[in-house]
Every structure is written in C-alpha cells, then in structure tokens.
Amino acid sequence: MQKLVKRAAQAQRQATRRARQQMEQDNIDNRMRNRQALRSAVSEIRQNLKDARQARREDWEMGPLAPKRDLGFNNYGAFKETVRQDWTNYGLHQARPQLIEQRCAWAGGARQLNLAPQDRVVIMDGPDKGKIDRIKDVQAENGTVTLENHHRALSVGMFDNPARSQAMPISVGSIRLVYPLRNPETGVTKDVIINQLKAVPPNMQSSNMSLDRWQYGKKWDRLVPGLSMIIPWPEVQAPEFEATKADTVREQVEERTFYYGLLSPPMPDQVLDELRNKYSRFRTRHEPWYIEQKEMEEASKKGRLEAIKSMQTPLEEFHERRRELRDTQGEPELSEELLEKIGEYMAKKKDAALNQAGVSQVSSQQAPVN
C-alpha cells in the first residue's frame, strides 16, 4: 500500500507541475498576442495620421476639386477594433484590480457595482461630455460600460468588412448616475447627478425581493450617502423559457429516485466508478479487497526476499554483517590527531604548489612591542 500512496502523490505532483508550466506558457502566448495587437494598433494610428495630413494638404491645394471623403465609400474615418481596446494594463488578461477599484469607487466598488442596464447616466468627459444616455451593458470585471447611443465609433473589423457603428466601452469613472429627485422646498422634480452610491442590505419590508433563488436582479440596494435615500433598480423582466422534449424540468430533477440506508453508500457503485475513475493514478481510497490483495503481494514479496537471504554465500553474509555494523556505528568522527595530520598535509601541498608556480612564501614574525 505504501507503493500506491507514493505513486498517487508522485502523479499529483507531476500533474501540478504540468498545469503550472501550461499556465506560464499561456501567459507568454497572451503577452505575445497582445504585443502584436498593440503593434498593429500603433501602426494603424500612424497610417491614419499620415492619411489625415495628406487629406488636409489636398483640401488646401485642390479646394473645391478635393475628393469627397465623407460619403463612406472608402471607410474614411473608420477605426479597426484593435485601436479602441483598453491597453491600460498591457500584457495581462484584464485591467489591474487597483485600476478597476479606482474606476468604480464612486459606484460602490467593483464587487458591488451599483449600476445596471437601462440606468440613465451622464458622460463627464470626452467628446460627448454632458450628454445623457442609457447603459446597454455592464462589464464589472473591467470597470467599463457600453451605452446605447453615445460613445460609438465607426469600426471596420479584422477582415476589412463594411464599416459599422459600434458601441465602445467607457470607464465607469467617466460617467455618473442621473435620477429624477423632488426638491422638498420647491416641489419641483428634476434630474440630479448622483456622484456617490453605496451598497446596503435590502429593505425586505419596502421591496418584494427575496434572496431565495434570486437570479434576475441585485441582492442589495443602492443608497445615496448624503441623502440617505435608496435609488430603485431598473425593472427587469424574467425571461420565459419553454420546455421541450429534450429538456429536464425542475420537478424531474428534484424527484427522489434513489433510497439508501446507513449501511449503503450514498450512490450506486457504478455511479461512483463514473465520478471517480477506478483506474486513475490519483486515486487514494481503495476497496478493502484491493487493499488486502496488495498487502498479500507485499507479504509474498517479503517472503521471497527472506528466502533469498537464507541461500546467501559466506561472502554475501559477511557483507551483510558489515553493512549492519556500519549502520549501528553511525557517522564516523575525526579525532584531533587526524585533523592535525590533514592540516599539515594541506599546508605541504600548498607550499609545493607555490614553489612550482615560482612564488616564495615569506613568513615574517612581528617584533614584540616594548
């Protein structure tokens, strides 16, 4: 059994090492791909600047005879998708956690982002500064969102497909939530820009939300700290699914079809063999009959070794006694006399080497100080 345990531990170490090497190789491949994409994006930007300078020169020199570039026939002003990627954390899979938290700080953080699709937001910087739009999609893992109408670009694609307008991701730090609030003094309701949101546990009395199997909403409420007011989430409609003959409905999944007692395993042996490969090298738990078989094999092997020892020659018996004697004596210890002899021999060899190299060793005694 000790051999089986060692084999399983060795297989586990080998699998871990292979997984680590594969992960390192994947990281290297991702960095290489990102480096190539960044290089192509930089070259495209340089080409766009070159085309823009040429167009400006032609417009100045040719005047009304200059070509009409704004008709869309030659994809003028269109960018490829690689140009509009987020290169803030070049070389990795996604942006740094510190950068993501900095983007989402005003909205409660990346873990509990208080933004959802159909929220009305205002753009705080960029060409579309001051415009109000609705959120189309939220990418909490990168701290970005996409809008429905603004912050778009004319994209060509990888294979020079016809140009199309495509929504580009915008940082959460570049937008703010817009919500209509009523002024208690004047009684006028108008849109207000909310600069800070905080996630709080849900108020179960004021909302019909249940945390049991909640799938189509948020498990918390968003609060404006300065006003102590909860901003409701946008309404979400649960999708309707239609079961077909190939689907397994919930009643069939929750129906109990297997009964067992305290003396039987929690599932049939065939299912256990499917879940846990009975011939796997990583297996650590075995059946009693298998353990007994392996112990019998080890006992028979030990008996064969004892039989072989009983037929040793006198010389083999002498070597066996010498090995046992060495094991009982332990490590040898050097005496003072032997250490002195070793030092003298090393000094003699050093002097001989220096004389052979033509270097004379001069020994000087220090005169006593009066």
Side-chain angles (χ1 to χ4, degrees), residues 44-59:
E44 183 183 354
I45 291 175
R46 290 177 178 174
Q47 185 64 33
N48 292 337
L49 294 175
K50 182 178 179 180
D51 296 340
R53 286 193 294 268
Q54 182 180 359
R56 185 176 65 251
R57 187 182 303 109
E58 291 178 355
D59 292 342

Side-chain angles (χ1 to χ4, degrees), residues 330-348:
E331 295 293 334
E333 296 182 359
L334 298 178
S335 62
E336 296 292 339
E337 297 179 359
L338 187 58
L339 290 174
E340 291 179 0
K341 291 183 179 180
I342 293 175
E344 293 177 0
Y345 180 77
M346 292 175 63
K348 187 184 298 184

Side-chain angles (χ1 to χ4, degrees), residues 19 73 142 144 164 207 245 270 275 310 349:
F73 297 111
N142 292 326
T144 57
R164 65 187 186 279
S207 61
K245 294 182 179 180
Q270 294 81 4
L275 298 177
S310 63
K349 295 290 291 184

Side-chain angles (χ1 to χ4, degrees), residues 312-337:
Q312 288 180 347
T313 62
L315 181 61
E316 292 177 350
E317 293 179 358
F318 173 74
H319 290 319
E320 183 70 21
R321 288 195 298 269
R322 290 290 301 271
R323 284 194 295 268
E324 294 177 356
L325 182 61
R326 284 197 301 268
D327 295 340
T328 56
Q329 290 178 354
E331 295 293 334
E333 296 182 359
L334 298 178
S335 62
E336 296 292 339
E337 297 179 359

Side-chain angles (χ1 to χ4, degrees), residues 169-350:
I170 183 173
S171 173
V172 176
S174 301
I175 60 175
R176 292 295 183 271
L177 183 65
V178 175
Y179 190 76
L181 297 180
R182 181 179 178 275
N183 192 342
E185 298 180 356
T186 60
V188 179
T189 302
K190 62 179 180 180
D191 290 337
V192 177
I193 298 177
I194 298 176
N195 294 318
Q196 188 177 3
L197 289 172
K198 180 181 179 182
V200 295
N203 187 3
M204 303 302 296
Q205 297 179 357
S206 61
S207 61
N208 297 325
M209 183 175 62
S210 173
L211 297 182
D212 184 20
R213 295 185 181 273
W214 184 257
Q215 300 177 357
Y216 308 109
K218 299 295 183 181
K219 296 182 179 179
W220 64 87
D221 291 336
R222 46 185 181 179
L223 175 72
V224 182
L227 302 178
S228 298
M229 182 180 60
I230 294 178
I231 303 297
W233 294 96
E235 295 183 0
V236 179
Q237 295 182 357
E240 297 180 359
F241 299 100
E242 182 179 357
T244 60
K245 294 182 179 180
D247 296 332
T248 304
V249 297
R250 179 176 175 181
E251 289 77 7
Q252 295 177 356
V253 174
E254 297 181 351
E255 183 182 0
R256 185 174 181 178
T257 58
F258 180 71
Y259 297 88
Y260 57 91
L262 296 178
L263 301 179
S264 61
M267 58 187 68
D269 296 337
Q270 294 81 4
V271 179
L272 287 176
D273 293 338
E274 292 179 2
L275 298 177
R276 180 187 60 189
N277 186 7
K278 60 188 301 184
Y279 303 107
S280 176
R281 296 182 301 169
F282 306 100
R283 184 171 180 177
T284 56
R285 291 178 292 182
H286 305 277
E287 289 81 359
W289 65 267
Y290 186 76
I291 297 175
E292 184 179 358
Q293 178 183 353
K294 290 299 178 182
E295 290 178 353
M296 292 177 59
E297 291 179 359
E298 291 181 0
S300 61
K301 183 178 180 181
K302 188 178 297 184
R304 288 195 301 269
L305 292 177
E306 294 293 338
I308 293 174
K309 286 184 179 180
S310 63
M311 296 184 294
Q312 288 180 347
T313 62
L315 181 61
E316 292 177 350
E317 293 179 358
F318 173 74
H319 290 319
E320 183 70 21
R321 288 195 298 269
R322 290 290 301 271
R323 284 194 295 268
E324 294 177 356
L325 182 61
R326 284 197 301 268
D327 295 340
T328 56
Q329 290 178 354
E331 295 293 334
E333 296 182 359
L334 298 178
S335 62
E336 296 292 339
E337 297 179 359
L338 187 58
L339 290 174
E340 291 179 0
K341 291 183 179 180
I342 293 175
E344 293 177 0
Y345 180 77
M346 292 175 63
K348 187 184 298 184
K349 295 290 291 184
K350 182 178 180 181

